[in-house]
Amino acid sequence: MNNYTLIGPFKQLLTMHGLPLKGALSDQELTIIENGGIITYKDKIYAIGSYADLQKEAVPLKAAIVPIASEMVCMPGLIDSHTHICFGGSRAKDYALRNSGKTYLEIAKAGGGIWDTVTQTRKASSSLLTDTIKERAGRHLQQGITTIEVKSGYGLSVAEELKMLRAIAAAKNDCDADLIPTCLAAHMIPKDYNGTPEAYLEEIANDLFPILKEEGLSNRIDAFIEEGAFSKALIAPYFKKAQEMGFDITVHADQFSTSGSAVAVEFGAVSADHLEASTEQEIALLANSNVVATALPGASLGLGCNYTPARKLLDAGASVAIASDWNPGSAPMGNLLLQAAVLGTFEKLSNAEVLAGITVRAAHALRISDRGSMVPGKLADFVAFPTNNYQEILYQQGMMAPVKVWKNGALVVNKEA
Ligand SMILES: [Zn+2]
């Protein structure tokens, strides 16, 4: 059996290759191959270029041929670098109460808020959690999202966080999208913990971190740094331990109040996510660091809040990724392409900036360099949209879904079949 496959021709092949990881981007910087093709070898891209040239190259390789009959735009598989799609229950009641003018405190008193999701997630069996992750990941895959970060953080004890991360691992083994698990045991101070917040974090670091390593459950530690959640002073020793053990750090930062982004920069976090409250000072800090600033427009849409100042971050020189934050409380929609397109209209972002934010810069936020752009050697993760002009993808504001999705060289979505 031969493992080379020639796929094409695509009217436009948008490689997202060769773009700088930081700073503003113009659409002129995009590499677009007209009438392009791809040769894959097993799970990787072997060659990419003009379809006519690749047809010749394919002959000695005895490549199988997958013809693309109608006009399509091909681009890298999308990457959602921040989600909470492992959860039980629904927070529709919170949404209604919030939109009726109730405060955060009133909603918490009515039994809502993160703790409600913690209760529902603890009640759910691990197989139910695995099934719901697979269902949500499957929905994402239909939108062209081939890599999805998934956080724990609704367990909030060693045992319950383990249950979540094992459910994520089980879903990862049994779905076409790639899942990148993150431990968010520092999501909120658990209401039922019998001890100080310091003791809770110490217990997580001492008892959970080693198991994450042993079982290969996650290489990433996240924390919600916010008034009412974890302060810089509380989180510093926790992050220090995580770093000593070789974990990557990522931070929920500057959502309602500032300080999280400074912690992210101090600890050399891979990303600082949210940043809706960031001021010039935080923007400058992030821009002068290698921390990826991740905008989460789904949370702005869910809460009716400001958007992350993506334009200012890019102009200052930061690397900006865009993720869905899909979660039951503040971002229930989970439509990454719609949210990225809307952020683009409000923040005045170029096509290149938005598309880089959900491909190559999102890969950088997860520190995975094997995907996010199309070049020989990278994973054969790519999607084909039913249009002859790449500008239509964002113009349609999430209403245009890809008709074909390839993950690791395999055609996993085919709406033309
Ligand atoms: Zn989040």
Side-chain angles (χ1 to χ4, degrees), residues 82 84 151 252 274 296 325:
H82 182 138
H84 304 252
K151 298 177 195 296
H252 279 69
H274 273 299
L296 304 173
D325 196 19

Side-chain angles (χ1 to χ4, degrees), residues 40-118:
T40 61
Y41 178 68
K42 295 180 178 171
D43 61 341
K44 302 249 166 50
I45 295 171
Y46 172 79
I48 186 163
S50 112
Y51 188 72
D53 291 348
L54 292 187
Q55 273 181 310
K56 289 172 209 149
E57 204 176 329
V59 176
L61 298 173
K62 298 191 170 62
I65 299 195
V66 175
I68 301 296
S70 51
E71 291 194 329
M72 290 193 203
V73 172
C74 180
M75 66 172 290
L78 309 183
I79 297 172
D80 191 348
S81 63
H82 182 138
T83 84
H84 304 252
I85 60 170
C86 179
F87 63 85
S90 159
R91 301 249 295 279
K93 190 175 144 197
D94 288 21
Y95 187 76
L97 287 172
R98 192 163 58 238
N99 293 347
S100 307
K102 300 288 183 227
T103 64
Y104 181 84
L105 220 66
E106 287 168 327
I107 293 169
K109 271 194 187 147
I114 294 177
W115 192 252
D116 181 28
T117 301
V118 172

Side-chain angles (χ1 to χ4, degrees), residues 82-84 149 151 154 184 187 222 224 252 255 273-274 296 299 324-327 330:
H82 182 138
T83 84
H84 304 252
E149 188 259 15
K151 298 177 195 296
Y154 298 122
L184 179 58
H187 197 183
D222 195 348
F224 188 25
H252 279 69
Q255 186 180 10
D273 304 18
H274 273 299
L296 304 173
S324 73
D325 196 19
W326 192 355
N327 76 75
S330 58

